[in-house]
Amino acid sequence: AGWEVCDGNLNRQLQDVLHGWPTLQSPDHDYGFLHRVDVPCSGLILFAKTFPAFYDLQVQLRAGEIHRDYVVLCHGWLHDRTIEAQIDMRGDGPTWTGRIGKPSRSFIKLVAQVSGFAAASLIAVRIATGRRYQIRSHAAFVAHPVVRDEKFTAFGTQECDFKFCERCFLHRYSLVFKDRHGESHEVTDGLPTDL
């Protein structure tokens, strides 16, 4: 959390800690990064060290063959469901989910319901598309915003969230992709201690 891939808006750039790979010199290839994770969130990032690997992974990504799975804590009681909605992206502000924009799909699986501080649902999310702020926007769209999400949550809710959660509760814990030889690889990352 708190790192940026390569855009230069924050002091902590992931691009600055990787060295020696040809893709890192190419802004036309997003410096080798296949996707991003929102700055207040955490998790795995897929990076291609070579241009052939980059193109191969791009094909898999566009064909929906790369699986990206997240663990998310949302407000309220959620259940297993698929969210299909358009996401409208304007500038750097929050995205708008509804009937205008690019199609997007998120698959929600309930892991646990939590109570005590407030009603909440721990969910696993797999995205079929990768729109900016997709999970956070979809969660807010169905009236179950992500805990500690300062972009898509009402201020009063944020104040309550600050008491028990240090940051936006969204973490990409699994990536599944194939190498250039067709062999499948799954990479996992446990939930960080600050969540």
Side-chain angles (χ1 to χ4, degrees), residues 44 46 60 65-69 126 174-178 184-188:
L44 300 165
L46 190 56
Q60 291 178 56
E65 296 172 359
I66 294 178
H67 295 171
R68 297 165 285 176
D69 295 326
R126 174 169 288 174
S174 175
L175 280 172
V176 179
F177 61 95
K178 292 182 180 171
S184 184
H185 297 274
E186 180 177 11
V187 182
T188 58

Coordinates of all heavy atoms in Angstrom, one line a residue, residues 44 46 60 65-69 126 174-178 184-188:
L44 N -0.6 -8.0 -5.3 CA 0.3 -8.5 -6.3 C 0.2 -7.6 -7.6 O -0.9 -7.2 -8.0 CB 0.0 -9.9 -6.7 CG 0.2 -10.9 -5.5 CD1 -0.4 -12.3 -5.8 CD2 1.7 -11.1 -5.2
L46 N 1.6 -7.7 -11.7 CA 2.2 -8.6 -12.8 C 3.1 -7.7 -13.6 O 2.7 -6.7 -14.2 CB 1.2 -9.2 -13.6 CG 1.6 -10.3 -14.6 CD1 2.4 -11.4 -13.9 CD2 0.4 -10.9 -15.3
Q60 N -3.2 -12.6 -23.0 CA -4.0 -13.3 -21.9 C -4.9 -12.3 -21.1 O -6.0 -12.7 -20.8 CB -3.0 -13.9 -20.9 CG -2.2 -15.1 -21.5 CD -1.2 -15.6 -20.5 OE1 -1.6 -16.0 -19.4 NE2 0.1 -15.7 -20.9
E65 N -7.9 -14.4 -19.5 CA -7.3 -15.6 -19.1 C -6.4 -15.4 -17.8 O -6.0 -16.4 -17.2 CB -6.4 -16.2 -20.2 CG -7.3 -16.6 -21.4 CD -6.5 -17.0 -22.6 OE1 -5.2 -17.0 -22.5 OE2 -7.1 -17.4 -23.6
I66 N -6.1 -14.2 -17.5 CA -5.4 -13.9 -16.2 C -6.4 -13.7 -15.1 O -7.3 -12.9 -15.2 CB -4.4 -12.7 -16.4 CG1 -3.3 -13.0 -17.4 CG2 -3.8 -12.3 -15.0 CD1 -2.4 -11.8 -17.7
H67 N -6.3 -14.5 -14.1 CA -7.2 -14.4 -13.0 C -6.6 -13.5 -11.9 O -5.5 -13.7 -11.5 CB -7.5 -15.8 -12.4 CG -8.3 -16.6 -13.3 ND1 -8.5 -18.0 -13.1 CD2 -8.9 -16.4 -14.5 CE1 -9.2 -18.5 -14.1 NE2 -9.4 -17.6 -15.0
R68 N -7.4 -12.5 -11.5 CA -7.0 -11.6 -10.4 C -8.0 -11.6 -9.3 O -9.1 -11.3 -9.5 CB -6.9 -10.1 -11.0 CG -5.8 -10.0 -12.1 CD -5.9 -8.8 -12.9 NE -7.1 -9.0 -13.8 CZ -7.5 -8.0 -14.6 NH1 -6.9 -6.8 -14.6 NH2 -8.5 -8.2 -15.4
D69 N -7.6 -12.1 -8.2 CA -8.5 -12.3 -7.0 C -8.1 -11.4 -5.9 O -6.9 -11.2 -5.6 CB -8.4 -13.8 -6.6 CG -9.0 -14.7 -7.6 OD1 -9.9 -14.3 -8.4 OD2 -8.5 -15.8 -7.7
R126 N -13.3 -11.6 -7.9 CA -12.5 -11.9 -9.1 C -13.1 -10.9 -10.2 O -14.3 -10.9 -10.4 CB -12.7 -13.3 -9.6 CG -12.0 -13.5 -11.0 CD -11.9 -15.0 -11.3 NE -10.9 -15.6 -10.5 CZ -10.6 -16.9 -10.5 NH1 -11.3 -17.7 -11.3 NH2 -9.7 -17.4 -9.7
S174 N -4.1 -13.0 -5.2 CA -3.8 -14.1 -6.1 C -3.8 -13.6 -7.5 O -4.6 -12.8 -8.0 CB -4.8 -15.2 -6.0 OG -4.6 -16.3 -6.9
L175 N -2.8 -14.1 -8.3 CA -2.7 -13.9 -9.7 C -2.4 -15.3 -10.4 O -1.6 -16.0 -9.9 CB -1.5 -13.0 -10.1 CG -1.7 -11.5 -9.9 CD1 -0.4 -10.8 -10.2 CD2 -2.7 -11.0 -10.9
V176 N -3.2 -15.6 -11.4 CA -3.0 -16.8 -12.2 C -2.7 -16.4 -13.6 O -3.6 -15.7 -14.2 CB -4.1 -17.8 -12.0 CG1 -3.9 -19.1 -12.8 CG2 -4.4 -18.1 -10.6
F177 N -1.6 -16.9 -14.2 CA -1.3 -16.6 -15.6 C -0.5 -17.7 -16.1 O 0.0 -18.6 -15.4 CB -0.5 -15.3 -15.7 CG 0.8 -15.3 -14.9 CD1 2.0 -15.6 -15.6 CD2 0.8 -15.1 -13.6 CE1 3.2 -15.7 -14.9 CE2 2.0 -15.1 -12.9 CZ 3.2 -15.4 -13.5
K178 N -0.3 -17.7 -17.5 CA 0.5 -18.7 -18.1 C 1.8 -18.1 -18.6 O 1.8 -17.0 -19.1 CB -0.2 -19.4 -19.3 CG -1.4 -20.2 -18.9 CD -2.1 -20.8 -20.0 CE -3.3 -21.6 -19.5 NZ -4.1 -22.1 -20.6
S184 N 0.8 -23.0 -16.5 CA 0.1 -22.1 -15.6 C 0.9 -21.9 -14.3 O 1.5 -22.8 -13.8 CB -1.3 -22.7 -15.3 OG -2.0 -21.9 -14.5
H185 N 0.8 -20.6 -13.8 CA 1.4 -20.2 -12.6 C 0.4 -19.5 -11.7 O -0.3 -18.6 -12.2 CB 2.6 -19.3 -12.8 CG 3.7 -19.9 -13.6 ND1 4.7 -20.7 -13.1 CD2 3.9 -20.0 -15.0 CE1 5.5 -21.1 -14.0 NE2 5.1 -20.7 -15.2
E186 N 0.4 -19.8 -10.4 CA -0.4 -19.1 -9.5 C 0.5 -18.5 -8.4 O 1.4 -19.2 -7.8 CB -1.4 -20.0 -8.8 CG -2.3 -19.2 -7.8 CD -3.4 -20.0 -7.1 OE1 -3.4 -21.2 -7.2 OE2 -4.2 -19.3 -6.4
V187 N 0.4 -17.2 -8.2 CA 1.2 -16.5 -7.2 C 0.2 -16.0 -6.2 O -0.9 -15.4 -6.5 CB 2.0 -15.3 -7.8 CG1 2.8 -14.6 -6.8 CG2 2.8 -15.8 -9.0
T188 N 0.5 -16.2 -4.9 CA -0.4 -15.7 -3.8 C 0.4 -14.8 -2.8 O 1.6 -15.0 -2.7 CB -1.0 -16.9 -3.1 OG1 0.0 -17.7 -2.5 CG2 -1.9 -17.7 -4.0

